[in-house]
Amino acid sequence: MKRNRNLIILCVGLLAGLIAPLATGASDPGFYIEVLLGGLMAGVLYSLVALGFVLIFKASGVFNFAQGAMVLFAALSVARMAEVMPLWLATLLAVGIMVVFAFIVERLVLRPLVNQDPVVLLMATLGVTYFLNGFGQTVWGSDIYEINLGIAKEPVMILQSVFQGGILINKDDVAAAIAAVVLVALLALFFQKTKTGRALRAVADDHLAAQSIGIPLNRIWVIVWSVAGVVALVAGVIWGAKLGVQFSVSQVALKALPVVILGGFTSIPGAILGGLIIGVGEKMAEVFLAPIAVKAFDLAGGGIENWFAYVLALLFLLVLPEGLFGEKHIDRV
Amino acid sequence: MLYRENGQFKTTYRQDQQMLPILQDRIFMALLLLFVFGAGPFIFSDYLFLSILIPFLILALAAIGLNLLVGYCGQISLGHGAFMSVGAYAAYNLALRMPQLNFLVVLILAGLIAALVGLLFGIPSLRIRGLYLAVATLAAQFFMDWTFARVKWFTNYAPSGSVSTATIDIFGWTVDTPVRKYLFLLAVVTVFALVAKNLVRGHMGRAWMAMRDMDVAAEVIGIRPVYAKLTAFGVSSFYVGVAGALWGFVYLGSWEPLAFDINLSLNLLFMIIIGGMGSILGSFFGAFFIVALPILLNQAPEWLGIHMSTAMVSNLEAMIFGSLIIFFLIVEPQGLARLWAIGKEKLRLWPFPH
Amino acid sequence: MGAGANGGKSIGGVVLGLEGISLAFGGVRALQNVSFDVREHEIRAIIGPNGAGKSSMLNVINGVYHPQEGTVTFNGVKRRDVNTHEAAAQGIARTFQNIALFKGMSVLDNIMTGRNLRMKSGLLAQAIRIGPAEREELQHREAVEQIIDFLEIQAYRRTPVGRLPYGLQKRVDLARALAMEPKLLLLDEPMAGMNVEEKQDMCRFILDVNDQFGTTIVLIEHDMGVVMDISDRVIVLDYGKKIGDGTPDEVRGNQAVIDAYLGVSH
Ligand SMILES: Nc1ncnc2c1ncn2[C@@H]1O[C@H](COP(=O)(O)OP(=O)(O)O)[C@@H](O)[C@H]1O
Ligand SMILES: [Mg+2]
């Protein structure tokens, strides 16, 4: 089939790009693995944000542009509240805030716009983005704030015996990756094992069917937006601990959009894999490709990671419009 | 009793197809044009020109451009700020490298270059729809942002990456004072608005709207999606490119990298949501709104004797914009233009309630 | 209603032939090896229970769906894969089961889109409008006005289609298809959801189109009375298979058809 052929071509292309720096001898293995790990770490966070997107899209058909604003808002809440209380309490309270936020969104945005065109819903979430950014900075302030997770930030050297010079990794990166993996595992458990989780999956598969077995759609939306809020909170805390909580955190979430394109709008494994691909691809491109480009085109610095994810996604769209795991759909008339 | 359609019988289809079929509307439009062209230059203040009318006119032009694509053809774009930047940098380089070119030619060429880039990023729209297209157009945004920030040639190797433009000269008439800028923009925008109105009334406009409303049915009727979507992308980016060139040359004069970032794209989108999707008039409303609201927010607290920090004002602005977008999407998806139409309808029936 | 089968009109040779059409959506086999033909000037009905594959059949004819197997021959040209736009250009028009009008446009504009294929003025001419573009516009407006008169919808020209009652929307759908001046007209349940009076009107229009313009018509309809009255030949589909094909009388007597319809209410 054509789709399979395209899929294979893409995978081969990605793999070729992945090993090119090693194969051409542009990098020594130790450094290469450092870059790879760095990419994976960033990728884990993209996956987390993308996961929020996919959850919401599956259950309410909304392409939630506000996911980034939610990440920032949650991180701001934790950072500011942690100034006056223990971190765990601040986090707990922030979870509460995200649930309240989910309620408000359901009541004021989703319910009045039910059954609208997806593009209209997207525009509505643009409105939510603006509101939430303005509101968050009004309440919490617009400086740079710190979140201290109590993990040392200095890098450690490992595998000195295997590679010349060893590999530098950051402890907080490792902690972040572990936290992300735990969260994903918890979500998987939630969806597979709990009644609510199964109900959510039913909605995702078929809105009418879910309604006919007596699940109130509105409640499901609240739950899903709450879960997405918690996912955003975790991503925000990890990101904020690394870079400080500031407005740019919300922009990071824009990187998660290409991830959903890669993985398909409705696939959770797709979001995870897509996030990793983008994270690694971006880092590799910046470290190995950018210097070449800078030289060839006389650029004022690299920075191709600003668009690499998007162009990769565009490429995907052209060959695989349904994403890695999406389904093909033919309009009925 | 003044605003009536009764008794104005159309005896030919030509009369019936006029842009403004109702006599009173034509008179109103004529008076409005007379006022803004004839009286405006004498009675408006420089402050009004510089901080309201000039940005308003340019943004209205850009909003018309975006509206042709989003409101008429139904293709979402989150990257129109990027096409504005293409127009601005194209005009900058044309004027810089070919100083003998007349600015009007520069403007048209800048629009055409933006149209080409718009077409390029519009190609994915042939395979994908809706949300996917949103992401594809974001790709245009980030890629163009980067291009103009990093590729030194476009900014003529300026170390800071910022560029500044020369005074505009059209056949010896220099566009340097606020009044002249205003008149020049007014003329350009009037012509472009008229052309847009013509396009959406013709078969091309109908093809766009058909694509927007029901693409399968449009294809079955023989409308080619390739043709409809790409012309929409091309014309739309042409408009936006011209607006970008004007934004750079007439409004900003000089600008830094990222003067045309994603926030500009989103603002353009807000203009058409609030003003009215699928309405040329609405584009003007939306542009006026987005220019006037921040000014009002800056002034109002002082009138009321309250002090607000700039950060507070900008946060408030974001919250108000956000709420209004949601409000309009829910309550009046066709925006201010629709409210205007309803008002006119009421006037037509006045004093009878129905 | 009256005109009845073969009421004095001359039915010509085969204009449309379908051979061995098979179409599946994932596991759903919507059409299985279906073949039939349509002759010039005839009214050909397709009947069958819901989900039998009738709409899919029309979608194959004008290229909205692409069958996995089989060929479509129109006007002597045999095709594996029909292209929607080409089908329109060659004179195939259709209406839709679930009205597919352009919601945001007026009745007049909806019908005018039916002329789009014939309108040639370029971008610049339209931008200026005065001159050739306006002349072209007026010329097509006149053609459209004739259809508006024919279908008796003069009063609604400027009404946004979304505000029309259902029966009138169906009429506008037909008007838009007629504006293409098609050789072959595909009608997907044009009378579904109408009251008796509206149905009679629609029947009259269909017969008039067939008579006056000589348009060949393929029609999906559930109302057996209507089908028997106005069609020349009938195809019966069931679960994607053709189980009957012939004149209304032949089909009525066909045992397979009777079996398929036993207990099926329409
Ligand atoms: N676009 C589509 N995608 C998936 N399944 C479809 C599509 N169109 C039709 N089908 C399936 O094909 C079968 C035939 O449908 P259809 O042709 O609409 O039947 P009819 O018009 O006779 O009621 C049905 O089972 C329907 O669900
Ligand atoms: Mg059907």
Side-chain angles (χ1 to χ4, degrees):
Chain A
M1 290 242 297
K2 200 162 157 234
R3 188 183 140 80
N4 286 341
R5 198 199 61 200
N6 287 343
L7 190 60
I8 291 170
I9 292 176
L10 268 180
C11 289
V12 171
L14 283 178
L15 274 178
L18 186 65
I19 57 171
L22 264 189
T24 55
S27 152
D28 65 272
F31 181 61
Y32 178 83
I33 288 182
E34 261 175 47
V35 175
L36 187 70
L37 284 178
L40 283 174
M41 296 299 175
V44 165
L45 281 169
Y46 292 152
S47 299
L48 265 188
V49 182
L51 207 60
F53 271 111
V54 170
L55 285 176
I56 288 182
F57 188 79
K58 265 174 93 93
S60 54
V62 177
F63 183 92
N64 181 25
F65 200 84
Q67 191 71 27
M70 283 162 69
V71 171
L72 173 65
F73 184 73
L76 270 177
S77 308
V78 173
R80 291 316 298 278
M81 289 193 295
E83 288 171 8
V84 293
M85 59 180 85
L87 186 65
W88 64 267
L89 188 59
T91 309
L92 216 60
L93 279 178
V95 170
I97 292 177
M98 295 320 282
V99 173
V100 172
F101 170 73
F103 263 102
I104 296 174
V105 167
E106 192 279 323
R107 191 72 198 80
L108 296 184
V109 182
L110 297 181
R111 207 183 290 182
L113 286 173
V114 67
N115 290 334
Q116 287 275 8
D117 189 82
V119 171
V120 171
L121 291 166
L122 163 67
M123 291 182 187
T125 64
L126 280 173
V128 174
T129 307
Y130 266 61
F131 183 86
L132 198 57
N133 280 339
F135 181 73
Q137 296 188 44
T138 305
V139 177
W140 300 125
S142 36
D143 287 328
I144 303 179
Y145 304 99
E146 298 211 337
I147 294 179
N148 189 358
L149 296 177
I151 301 168
K153 284 201 176 173
E154 70 269 18
V156 285
M157 189 76 81
I158 57 165
L159 293 180
Q160 260 154 317
S161 53
V162 184
F163 297 107
Q164 196 190 3
I167 298 172
L168 276 178
I169 54 168
N170 292 323
K171 272 192 192 159
D172 54 341
D173 279 346
V174 177
I178 291 171
V181 171
V182 169
L183 184 69
V184 170
L186 282 177
L187 279 174
L189 271 180
F190 172 67
F191 276 103
Q192 302 293 340
K193 301 286 178 214
T194 66
K195 191 158 158 263
T196 322
R198 282 196 296 268
L200 288 178
R201 284 190 12 232
V203 185
D205 293 338
D206 186 348
H207 284 215
L208 286 179
Q211 260 173 325
S212 65
I213 55 171
I215 304 167
L217 214 49
N218 295 337
R219 174 137 33 101
I220 293 211
W221 287 343
V222 173
I223 296 174
V224 168
W225 278 73
S226 303
V227 173
V230 173
V231 175
L233 189 144
V234 174
V237 168
I238 293 175
W239 214 281
K242 202 170 157 67
L243 304 170
V245 181
Q246 52 183 318
F247 189 72
S248 65
V249 166
S250 72
Q251 305 287 314
V252 165
L254 285 177
K255 286 274 178 59
L257 294 179
V259 172
V260 228
I261 296 276
L262 246 67
F265 276 104
T266 52
S267 162
I268 288 179
I272 295 167
L273 191 61
L276 297 180
I277 293 177
I278 295 270
V280 171
E282 201 176 84
K283 267 278 163 355
M284 292 270 164
E286 189 58 42
V287 174
F288 297 115
L289 208 57
I292 302 174
V294 168
K295 236 193 229 136
F297 301 109
D298 188 18
L299 305 176
I304 59 178
E305 59 186 339
N306 287 326
W307 52 262
F308 185 81
Y310 277 88
V311 174
L312 196 64
L314 210 56
L315 218 80
F316 254 70
L317 274 180
L318 289 177
V319 254
L320 275 188
E322 312 89 33
L324 282 176
F325 297 90
E327 295 139 23
K328 193 168 163 66
H329 164 87
I330 300 170
D331 281 325
R332 237 170 244 254
V333 281
Chain B
M1 282 299 151
L2 285 174
Y3 189 64
R4 283 286 184 279
E5 197 180 352
N6 309 15
Q8 298 179 20
F9 295 111
K10 317 278 179 325
T11 47
T12 64
Y13 293 136
R14 165 169 286 144
Q15 283 177 9
D16 191 42
Q17 296 201 345
Q18 290 176 71
M19 193 182 310
L20 300 168
I22 300 176
L23 178 67
Q24 284 87 338
D25 281 342
R26 287 198 294 278
I27 295 175
F28 175 75
M29 187 49 94
L31 287 177
L32 182 69
L33 286 177
L34 205 68
F35 176 74
V36 292
F37 273 104
F42 301 106
I43 56 177
F44 296 154
S45 69
D46 275 7
Y47 173 79
L48 197 62
F49 286 133
L50 289 177
S51 50
I52 297 190
L53 290 172
I54 288 175
F56 156 66
L57 285 169
I58 303 174
L59 288 178
L61 183 63
I64 292 174
L66 183 63
N67 221 332
L68 291 177
L69 183 70
V70 182
Y72 285 93
C73 194
Q75 309 296 305
I76 178 90
S77 169
L78 299 179
H80 259 49
F83 303 137
M84 268 181 94
S85 72
V86 173
Y89 281 100
Y92 168 76
N93 279 290
L94 285 166
L96 178 80
R97 289 161 213 279
M98 285 178 259
Q100 70 282 10
L101 275 188
N102 188 296
F103 184 70
L104 291 180
V105 179
V106 168
L107 209 55
I108 300 293
L109 286 178
L112 288 176
I113 291 170
L116 267 181
V117 177
L119 278 180
L120 198 68
F121 281 96
I123 289 174
S125 74
L126 304 177
R127 296 209 51 182
I128 54 177
R129 284 194 292 199
L131 303 174
Y132 286 93
L133 192 58
V135 180
T137 52
L138 269 180
Q141 180 70 52
F142 292 120
F143 187 73
M144 296 325 299
D145 279 354
W146 174 85
T147 303
F148 295 126
R150 302 293 175 146
V151 183
K152 295 179 203 160
W153 186 84
F154 288 114
T155 50
N156 198 27
Y157 301 90
S160 62
S162 65
V163 298
S164 49
T165 60
T167 311
I168 302 168
D169 180 334
I170 300 165
F171 304 117
W173 188 67
T174 49
V175 184
D176 44 9
T177 63
V179 183
R180 289 182 167 195
K181 286 180 177 173
Y182 162 77
L183 277 174
F184 172 62
L185 289 176
L186 195 60
V188 172
V189 173
T190 308
V191 170
F192 272 82
L194 211 67
V195 166
K197 197 77 195 167
N198 282 343
L199 285 178
V200 298
R201 290 190 302 151
H203 64 84
M204 182 173 289
R206 285 193 294 270
W208 292 344
M209 291 187 270
M211 253 2 259
R212 168 197 72 189
D213 286 347
M214 185 64 72
D215 51 0
V216 181
E219 263 192 88
V220 164
I221 273 177
I223 291 167
R224 268 190 226 139
V226 181
Y227 178 79
K229 287 180 182 174
L230 288 188
T231 48
F233 261 99
V235 173
S236 170
S237 351
F238 177 82
Y239 268 68
V240 170
V242 170
L246 293 171
W247 191 251
F249 275 70
V250 182
Y251 180 61
L252 296 176
S254 64
W255 67 92
E256 316 255 299
L258 300 186
F260 300 86
D261 66 355
I262 182 165
N263 285 316
L264 183 59
S265 294
L266 297 182
N267 276 335
L268 289 177
L269 206 57
F270 296 167
M271 284 181 230
I272 66 171
I273 295 174
I274 291 172
M277 278 190 270
S279 160
I280 304 290
L281 182 66
S283 313
F284 284 94
F285 289 156
F288 187 78
F289 194 89
I290 219 147
V291 172
L293 184 70
I295 292 177
L296 186 75
L297 279 181
N298 268 314
Q299 309 280 326
E302 274 168 38
W303 297 334
L304 298 173
I306 309 166
H307 177 73
M308 254 201 247
S309 67
T310 30
M312 188 64 216
V313 168
S314 80
N315 288 339
L316 200 63
E317 200 183 298
M319 283 160 72
I320 292 179
F321 275 140
S323 320
L324 277 174
I325 288 159
I326 297 169
F327 172 83
F328 271 102
L329 287 174
I330 293 171
V331 179
E332 191 45 86
Q334 285 163 335
L336 292 168
R338 176 84 192 127
L339 295 181
W340 172 262
I342 292 174
K344 263 179 34 173
E345 192 74 8
K346 288 252 163 67
L347 187 61
R348 196 145 71 94
L349 300 171
W350 188 83
F352 310 105
H354 295 293
Chain C
M1 272 155 226
N6 297 325
K9 67 183 178 187
S10 62
I11 289 184
V14 171
V15 285
L16 173 74
L18 289 102
E19 263 162 69
I21 300 286
S22 296
L23 171 73
F25 299 100
V28 180
R29 299 169 74 180
L31 293 169
Q32 298 175 47
N33 195 20
V34 179
S35 307
F36 69 94
D37 60 29
V38 179
R39 301 197 167 160
E40 201 170 355
H41 282 186
E42 82 174 332
I43 298 183
R44 188 77 149 114
I46 304 179
I47 62 172
N50 273 334
K54 307 180 296 295
S55 297
S56 300
M57 198 71 243
L58 294 196
N59 283 329
V60 166
I61 296 175
N62 69 351
V64 178
Y65 291 169
H66 301 282
Q68 280 83 19
E69 273 167 53
T71 57
V72 179
T73 312
F74 183 65
N75 271 342
V77 187
K78 191 181 214 163
R79 286 199 172 74
R80 223 6 288 279
D81 231 352
V82 180
N83 169 307
T84 316
H85 174 261
E86 257 170 46
Q90 289 177 354
I92 305 183
R94 74 171 283 185
T95 66
F96 298 86
Q97 177 173 0
N98 305 307
I99 303 171
L101 288 172
F102 307 127
K103 299 191 292 298
M105 300 160 75
S106 66
V107 168
L108 181 64
D109 279 343
N110 263 278
I111 306 175
M112 283 293 280
T113 57
R115 307 295 294 181
N116 252 44
L117 259 176
R118 296 164 191 269
M119 298 183 74
K120 301 279 184 255
S121 59
L123 180 66
L124 277 181
Q126 289 180 78
I128 302 164
R129 189 161 172 115
I130 306 166
E134 190 173 36
R135 272 201 299 283
E136 186 184 45
E137 189 87 2
L138 290 174
Q139 175 198 334
H140 287 281
R141 171 80 190 268
E142 264 160 46
V144 163
E145 286 294 335
Q146 282 176 6
I147 292 162
I148 290 180
D149 287 345
F150 175 74
L151 291 176
E152 298 159 17
I153 44 181
Q154 299 91 335
Y156 311 104
R157 276 192 198 93
R158 297 282 172 199
T159 316
V161 285
R163 284 199 219 151
L164 291 179
Y166 182 79
L168 279 173
Q169 291 198 16
K170 284 251 164 194
R171 222 185 266 187
V172 176
D173 198 3
L174 177 63
R176 185 178 64 182
L178 288 180
M180 292 170 68
E181 297 178 26
K183 292 199 191 74
L184 174 67
L185 181 57
L186 313 173
L187 303 174
D188 197 344
E189 306 200 13
M191 288 165 245
M194 287 186 167
N195 61 32
V196 178
E197 208 175 312
E198 288 172 328
K199 272 190 190 176
Q200 275 174 356
D201 282 342
M202 191 51 96
C203 272
R204 184 162 52 84
F205 292 136
I206 293 172
L207 288 169
D208 281 352
V209 169
N210 182 242
D211 263 5
Q212 292 180 15
F213 311 137
T215 312
T216 310
I217 294 174
V218 178
L219 165 86
I220 297 176
E221 186 46 56
H222 274 310
D223 187 323
M224 278 305 161
V226 170
V227 171
M228 296 300 159
D229 260 358
I230 71 173
S231 56
D232 298 297
R233 287 190 298 158
V234 183
I235 304 143
V236 192
L237 291 180
D238 191 24
Y239 290 114
K241 293 198 185 98
K242 186 171 96 170
I243 58 168
D245 189 350
T247 63
D249 288 331
E250 286 165 8
V251 166
R252 217 190 322 240
N254 181 329
Q255 192 55 44
V257 176
I258 297 169
D259 289 346
Y261 268 77
L262 264 181
V264 182
S265 62
H266 296 282

